Amino acid sequence: MRARTIVVILAAAVVLGLLTGRFVLPARSAPATPAAAPGAAASSPHTGSPTPKPAHGPMTARHLLAAAEFRKVGISKRIYVRDRVGDGNYANAACTGEKTLEETLGGPDAHFRGLMTTKGADGSDPTLAVNIDDQVAREVAAAAQSPALAQNFAQRLLLEEVPCQEEPAGHWVYGPTHTIDVAPSVTAGWMGSYEGDLNTTGTAPRGKEPCGGIAILRNGSHYGVLEVDACLDTTAMTRIVRAALTRL
């Protein structure tokens, strides 16, 4: 807008203001980019996947962790998947004793999945490798009658593992509990595993990475235990536990 035109407009505004008792200035041009509404969150092209809904209904094999997730964290060996349905030991016996899931919680049969780098399985349980070094992970999961009951079961299973966060020096030990919350009623608690030579004080060493670990999962009315025998660090464990939790 030329300077002379601006002067004319302002002069007209002053005259109009004198006649009406107030000044009237030309309206401001609309901004090129509309401003965000107060309180509105800025959108991002990298917001991720939609929040999952809590699971309900019966447990099936499709709810168990897939072998492909371990390839994403660097395990290059072929992983064999062995499934069964029934009852059996569900976590490290040093913490839980030689109890089965039904003995601890009751309820229906659970789904067991063994992930291993060998075809050779234990004769008493096909989800366990004959040699522990060949076991990548093992998941045990079931469906409760309600989300509240699944939460109760998950809390009890997690508390069973807490004693293994304190062990005599030289004994393997679990580290502190990490919590992963994907959505309401979709949550997990996991503990990293540390070899005995790293346990010099009776607890997990600070500043050291775990070598696998154990996770207790709860997704709606589904609950489960995931033992990771592969030597995964914190970043890889977090990714694996989140993947298992989302599928559950």
Side-chain angles (χ1 to χ4, degrees):
M1 187 179 292
R2 295 181 178 180
R4 181 180 297 176
T5 304
I6 295 174
V7 171
V8 172
I9 292 175
L10 292 175
V14 172
V15 173
L16 183 58
L18 293 174
L19 294 176
T20 61
R22 63 179 178 176
F23 293 103
V24 180
L25 295 177
R28 296 177 61 186
S29 301
T33 304
S43 61
S44 170
H46 304 291
T47 53
S49 302
T51 301
K53 294 182 180 179
H56 65 279
M59 174 69 58
T60 67
R62 69 181 178 85
H63 294 109
L64 301 177
L65 185 63
E69 296 297 337
F70 286 94
R71 288 194 286 272
K72 296 177 183 178
V73 295
I75 295 182
S76 58
K77 289 185 177 181
R78 179 176 179 179
I79 297 176
Y80 298 89
V81 178
R82 299 288 183 267
D83 289 345
R84 72 176 180 85
V85 177
D87 191 24
N89 296 332
Y90 55 89
N92 195 303
C95 286
T96 63
E98 294 294 336
K99 296 181 296 183
T100 69
L101 195 64
E102 185 174 354
E103 289 172 338
T104 301
L105 303 176
D109 288 339
H111 281 257
F112 289 70
R113 169 163 291 180
L115 301 157
M116 55 194 77
T117 57
T118 178
K119 292 183 178 181
D122 188 290
S124 62
D125 188 337
T127 65
L128 291 172
V130 175
N131 188 336
I132 188 60
D133 292 335
D134 297 323
Q135 191 86 35
V136 176
R138 184 169 181 260
E139 184 177 9
V140 182
Q145 295 178 347
S146 69
L149 189 57
Q151 181 180 20
N152 176 273
F153 286 169
Q155 289 173 341
R156 290 164 60 184
L157 291 169
L158 185 61
L159 287 174
E160 279 194 326
E161 307 302 325
V162 170
C164 278
Q165 291 178 323
E166 295 184 5
E167 292 288 349
H171 190 283
W172 71 267
V173 66
Y174 282 145
T177 304
H178 302 268
T179 301
I180 297 177
D181 293 315
V182 173
S185 299
V186 184
T187 184
W190 71 271
M191 306 171 187
S193 182
Y194 295 83
E195 296 295 334
D197 59 349
L198 294 176
N199 175 13
T200 59
T201 61
T203 58
R206 294 185 179 182
K208 297 291 186 179
E209 287 293 330
C211 185
I214 190 168
I216 308 299
L217 317 169
R218 205 266 290 197
N219 186 331
S221 61
H222 295 174
Y223 64 96
V225 179
L226 174 67
E227 286 187 278
V228 178
D229 297 286
C231 195
L232 303 185
D233 61 12
T234 300
T235 299
M237 278 293 296
T238 299
R239 181 165 185 166
I240 287 294
V241 173
R242 183 178 290 272
L245 178 60
T246 303
R247 288 180 66 94
L248 186 63

